[in-house]
Amino acid sequence: MSVTLKDVAQAARVSVSTASRALTGTGLTSERTQQRLTRIARELGYRPNPIARGLKTGQSRLVALLVHNLTNASFQVMAEVVQARLKALGYQMLLCIGGDDAQQESDTLTTLVDHRIDGLIVVPTGKNGAQLETLAKDVPIVCLVRRDDATDLETVLADDPQGAYLGTRHLIELGHKRIGLIVGRRDTTSGRERLSGYIRALRESDIPVDDTLIHAGHFVPETGATCCRALLDLPRPPSAIFVANHEATLGVLRVTAERNIAIPNDLSLLCYEDMPWFEWHRPAISIVDNGARDLANLAVDRLLHRMDAKGNGNDGVREYRVGARLVQRDSCRRFDAAKSAKSKSPPSKSSAAKSPATKPAKV
Amino acid sequence: MSVTLKDVAQAARVSVSTASRALTGTGLTSERTQQRLTRIARELGYRPNPIARGLKTGQSRLVALLVHNLTNASFQVMAEVVQARLKALGYQMLLCIGGDDAQQESDTLTTLVDHRIDGLIVVPTGKNGAQLETLAKDVPIVCLVRRDDATDLETVLADDPQGAYLGTRHLIELGHKRIGLIVGRRDTTSGRERLSGYIRALRESDIPVDDTLIHAGHFVPETGATCCRALLDLPRPPSAIFVANHEATLGVLRVTAERNIAIPNDLSLLCYEDMPWFEWHRPAISIVDNGARDLANLAVDRLLHRMDAKGNGNDGVREYRVGARLVQRDSCRRFDAAKSAKSKSPPSKSSAAKSPATKPAKV
DNA sequence: CTGTTAGCGCGTTCAG
DNA sequence: CTGAACGCGCTAACAG
């Protein structure tokens, strides 16, 4: 079926071992035979069999990426980045989808080590710490986006405290004082950290933290809708909403559209984690960019580092942070407290309907 | 490091082959030893090594999915579906991203066969037909979404002629007569087929085909913007636009937003291929659903079929179609030609701005 | 029904 | 510098 090392060796009238040495470039062969073998291998269209090689070396040239889903925009770019980087290095990516489920994660992990993966980048659920810790003895692991608190694994995180702080401060600087926050569950790293950044920014500006403005929920669009309604129905609704729960964004947008709330005129909206259509949306949605691309790149870097250092890598830093960035687009605007004070009630349909262009047409 | 078959055999005081037979369940062992071996294998935590097994059997329990990207919503759900289905059957998915590039596709294909994948589902670029044809001799292949005309491979396609027909007819039934079409490049199957469906629907209703209403372009958002502007700037602009080029949708939405064109009041909009946020968007965007989920499922079914039939499968049907469905949401509305005839000029900003709610708030 | 033997394709000793 | 031999873990012939 396919040409093997033996074929090459025979054609070159040398032994398989010589052929092996020459082609793997161990430098333990004469320059001449080396070149000769490479040439004839190419002529024959020889391709080493990774399976056979793996059986011998214990490696597979396979690296796994385990994420929760492909709906989340960050996971999409991470998958693309990891795949691209690895391919360039001769690795293939095994993409696994764990659904943020402990059982699925556990199952997946065991079959992955079965396949003798050379490395693993995982967004942990946080519920299989022991297993991860065990696996880490056999294969280099890098945690991404979330930390598994039960482990001591190398971890690449977004700088969520900073990101939430930057975003909140931005809104404050625009004059907002009542800033609604829709954030992730408190039992996730990101949920906690983004909340803390929000609070820090508020404190720094001596704005009292109003618990009724803070909603933590599951990572689904419905959360956004529910929380957004709750926020808008407040006696004193916020003038800005910071959606720091990425998945909730859709729900928020729906509710604001349904209620004909003009963004940013009636309400400023700041979201977390970019999506391709955010900048195509009108108004283009301002975001705090968590740096998915850089997170993925760094995770790959760290993984490769550990794969090179094979085993003796229990040194050095263990946790990395990729800074967040504020990307200002058109969904946040200056809030004039005095001016809008006239309307006590939540933004009425009529007022929303009356506000025409959120910005002048560009074309 | 990990417990091997030998370990199990020793513990059970049998030969490796007996152990192998018992555990693989060939039925060539006594009931007793079978159960005994299974038990002690479990106790020892034995996990078969797929690499070693693969070297022997020539299989890898690896199935590859090669798509163009993960930005396209259809590819996302396909990846999720394929991964889930395969995992349930003990296979791992190798996800590769080819970027719709001939060279990348070619490279990827060769490294995939190197890894002795047991099967391949590929969205072909159409430029590596010969290579695909060759590979197909060694490994079961199913083409998805696009056909590679240079090959005779089993192919699972969306019913694009039907989908475009359904969509166009829907708009016609709503009273639209000038229907703009933004569609994919003519050198792709989907591009051609969707165009044909559009034309058929028009013909059927005796509506003349106006070439100025038809725009074919590359699969990028910019295409949508450009084409949408061209359409709107026509002396007699369309009353509805059918965006049958999925990637172009973003561009169209931007332009309509920029020009403050109220959907569906000023313009009906129908898109192709669903995205999660379409139904969260306000107005919720009506679509022609290409059935990405079912396409993926069918592709997996067919692939598994061929993998079972190993080699002797040059029989039976070679091409499948997954029917399209019209999903009516809120972006299309009845067009009253007489009433709107008063405004000859393209929808003006003022008129757009005046139209408030696209539909009554639900909440 | 079971043990023995022989590779799968490759890397890696160990002698020349 | 090169060839011969061995084994990675497992399955599949062949005997018993």
Side-chain angles (χ1 to χ4, degrees):
Chain A
M1 159 172 153
S2 68
V3 18
T4 87
L5 191 55
K6 194 164 90 178
D7 301 328
V8 179
Q10 281 178 350
R13 302 185 176 285
V14 294
S15 69
V16 253
S17 31
T18 313
S20 171
R21 283 185 285 245
L23 295 179
T24 48
T26 48
L28 303 163
T29 55
S30 74
E31 189 79 5
R32 259 187 67 254
T33 53
Q34 163 113 5
Q35 297 192 347
R36 195 163 64 93
L37 269 283
T38 341
R39 180 175 54 76
I40 138 166
R42 184 159 25 83
E43 287 173 2
L44 263 55
Y46 167 71
R47 315 227 78 229
N49 182 336
I51 310 257
R53 178 178 286 174
L55 184 55
K56 188 70 200 174
T57 62
Q59 304 194 328
S60 59
R61 311 280 332 170
L62 256 33
V63 169
L65 173 66
L66 174 49
V67 297
H68 297 336
N69 59 62
L70 287 181
T71 312
N72 184 305
S74 295
F75 292 152
Q76 289 166 29
V77 330
M78 287 173 184
E80 293 202 350
V81 167
V82 171
Q83 134 93 27
R85 289 284 309 274
L86 291 177
K87 188 162 70 175
L89 292 162
Y91 290 93
Q92 280 294 316
M93 177 184 74
L94 237 36
L95 180 66
C96 303
I97 297 168
D100 202 1
D101 175 72
Q103 186 58 49
Q104 277 197 61
E105 177 179 55
S106 176
D107 292 348
T108 305
L109 288 176
T110 65
T111 82
L112 284 179
V113 290
D114 283 353
H115 278 281
R116 301 298 189 275
I117 51 168
D118 292 348
L120 168 65
I121 298 178
V122 55
V123 180
T125 65
K127 292 164 189 163
N128 289 301
Q131 190 179 7
L132 274 175
E133 194 77 39
T134 307
L135 300 189
K137 289 168 191 160
D138 291 336
V139 37
I141 299 184
V142 172
C143 290
L144 186 57
V145 172
R146 284 204 205 160
R147 182 175 37 226
D148 190 318
D149 293 313
T151 70
D152 186 31
L153 299 170
E154 189 138 63
T155 303
V156 174
L157 297 175
D159 199 336
D160 283 324
Q162 178 215 19
Y165 171 80
L166 285 176
T168 310
R169 199 184 62 182
H170 174 58
L171 292 170
I172 293 173
E173 285 171 354
L174 285 176
H176 296 278
K177 293 209 176 343
R178 289 187 63 73
I179 302 172
L181 178 71
I182 298 175
V183 71
R185 290 153 33 204
R186 286 200 166 80
D187 62 333
T188 61
T189 315
S190 63
R192 281 195 304 276
E193 293 190 343
R194 292 181 191 179
L195 177 59
S196 76
Y198 166 85
I199 291 179
R200 183 160 71 87
L202 254 42
R203 291 250 166 82
E204 210 177 85
S205 301
D206 291 321
I207 299 178
V209 176
D210 181 346
D211 282 341
T212 64
L213 289 177
I214 300 177
H215 287 264
H218 291 276
F219 299 102
V220 287
E222 284 73 18
T223 298
T226 313
C227 298
C228 184
R229 289 197 190 101
L231 249 18
L232 294 175
D233 290 340
L234 246 31
R236 292 177 56 214
S239 61
I241 294 184
F242 187 7
V243 189
N245 174 339
H246 177 60
E247 280 78 3
T249 306
L250 291 180
V252 173
L253 285 175
R254 165 185 272 193
V255 170
T256 56
E258 277 177 356
R259 298 199 177 189
N260 289 309
I261 292 171
I263 296 171
N265 280 2
D266 297 340
L267 180 74
S268 285
L269 190 64
L270 181 61
C271 297
Y272 215 111
E273 297 183 46
D274 208 357
M275 293 188 79
W277 55 275
F278 279 178
E279 67 175 310
W280 290 87
H281 192 267
R282 285 295 106 125
I285 297 174
S286 298
I287 56 143
V288 173
D289 174 18
N290 64 339
R293 191 163 297 275
D294 294 326
L295 281 164
N297 271 310
L298 183 51
V300 173
D301 288 341
R302 296 314 307 165
L303 186 70
L304 292 174
H305 180 79
R306 309 201 120 244
M307 285 167 58
D308 285 343
K310 39 178 99 178
N312 46 299
N314 274 29
D315 48 46
V317 193
R318 294 303 205 126
E319 181 172 306
Y320 296 81
R321 291 277 182 173
V322 171
R325 280 187 328 175
L326 178 70
V327 179
Q328 299 187 35
R329 298 207 266 244
D330 309 320
S331 65
C332 299
R333 67 153 220 176
R334 175 154 295 284
F335 178 68
D336 186 345
K339 180 180 158 198
S340 75
K342 59 187 175 188
S343 79
K344 278 287 184 189
S345 59
S348 67
K349 274 173 208 168
S350 60
S351 83
K354 257 181 247 152
S355 57
T358 55
K359 74 178 286 196
K362 279 183 183 166
V363 184
Chain B
M1 158 171 155
S2 68
V3 19
T4 88
L5 189 56
K6 194 163 90 178
D7 300 328
V8 179
Q10 281 178 350
R13 300 184 178 288
V14 294
S15 71
V16 251
S17 33
T18 312
S20 171
R21 282 186 287 247
L23 296 179
T24 48
T26 49
L28 277 48
T29 56
S30 74
E31 190 79 4
R32 258 186 67 256
T33 51
Q34 164 114 6
Q35 297 191 347
R36 195 164 63 92
L37 269 281
T38 342
R39 180 175 53 75
I40 135 166
R42 186 160 22 85
E43 287 173 3
L44 263 54
Y46 168 71
R47 315 228 79 229
N49 181 337
I51 310 257
R53 177 178 287 174
L55 182 56
K56 186 69 197 173
T57 63
Q59 303 194 330
S60 58
R61 311 274 341 167
L62 256 33
V63 169
L65 172 66
L66 175 49
V67 297
H68 296 337
N69 59 62
L70 287 180
T71 312
N72 185 305
S74 295
F75 291 152
Q76 289 166 28
V77 331
M78 287 173 184
E80 293 201 349
V81 167
V82 171
Q83 132 93 27
R85 288 284 310 274
L86 291 177
K87 186 162 70 176
L89 292 162
Y91 290 93
Q92 279 295 316
M93 176 184 74
L94 236 37
L95 180 67
C96 302
I97 297 168
D100 201 2
D101 175 72
Q103 185 59 49
Q104 278 197 61
E105 177 179 57
S106 176
D107 293 347
T108 305
L109 288 176
T110 64
T111 82
L112 285 178
V113 291
D114 283 353
H115 279 280
R116 300 298 188 275
I117 51 169
D118 292 348
L120 168 66
I121 297 177
V122 55
V123 180
T125 65
K127 293 165 189 164
N128 289 299
Q131 191 179 6
L132 274 174
E133 195 77 38
T134 307
L135 300 188
K137 289 168 190 160
D138 292 335
V139 38
I141 300 184
V142 171
C143 290
L144 185 58
V145 172
R146 284 203 206 161
R147 183 174 40 227
D148 190 317
D149 293 311
T151 70
D152 185 31
L153 299 170
E154 189 139 61
T155 303
V156 174
L157 296 176
D159 199 337
D160 283 325
Q162 179 215 21
Y165 171 80
L166 285 176
T168 310
R169 200 185 60 183
H170 174 56
L171 293 171
I172 293 174
E173 285 170 354
L174 285 176
H176 295 278
K177 293 209 176 340
R178 291 187 63 74
I179 301 172
L181 178 71
I182 299 175
V183 70
R185 289 153 32 205
R186 284 199 168 80
D187 62 333
T188 61
T189 314
S190 63
R192 281 194 306 275
E193 293 191 342
R194 293 182 189 176
L195 177 59
S196 76
Y198 165 86
I199 291 178
R200 183 160 71 87
L202 253 42
R203 292 249 164 83
E204 210 176 86
S205 301
D206 292 321
I207 299 177
V209 176
D210 181 346
D211 281 341
T212 63
L213 289 177
I214 300 176
H215 287 264
H218 290 276
F219 299 103
V220 287
E222 284 72 18
T223 298
T226 313
C227 298
C228 183
R229 289 196 189 103
L231 248 19
L232 294 175
D233 290 339
L234 245 30
R236 293 178 53 215
S239 61
I241 295 185
F242 187 7
V243 188
N245 173 338
H246 178 60
E247 282 77 3
T249 305
L250 291 180
V252 173
L253 285 175
R254 166 185 272 191
V255 170
T256 57
E258 277 177 356
R259 298 200 179 189
N260 289 308
I261 293 171
I263 295 171
N265 281 1
D266 297 341
L267 181 74
S268 285
L269 190 64
L270 181 60
C271 298
Y272 215 111
E273 299 183 45
D274 208 358
M275 294 188 77
W277 55 274
F278 278 178
E279 70 174 309
W280 291 88
H281 192 267
R282 285 296 107 124
I285 298 173
S286 299
I287 56 143
V288 173
D289 175 19
N290 64 338
R293 191 163 298 275
D294 295 325
L295 281 163
N297 270 311
L298 183 51
V300 173
D301 289 340
R302 296 314 307 164
L303 186 70
L304 292 174
H305 180 78
R306 310 202 118 243
M307 284 167 57
D308 286 344
K310 39 179 100 178
N312 46 299
N314 274 29
D315 48 49
V317 194
R318 295 305 206 122
E319 181 172 306
Y320 297 81
R321 290 279 180 172
V322 171
R325 281 187 327 176
L326 178 69
V327 179
Q328 298 186 34
R329 299 207 266 245
D330 309 319
S331 64
C332 299
R333 67 152 221 177
R334 176 155 294 285
F335 178 67
D336 186 346
K339 181 179 156 198
S340 75
K342 61 185 173 188
S343 81
K344 279 284 185 190
S345 59
S348 67
K349 274 174 205 165
S350 58
S351 83
K354 257 181 246 150
S355 57
T358 54
K359 73 179 281 196
K362 278 182 183 164
V363 185

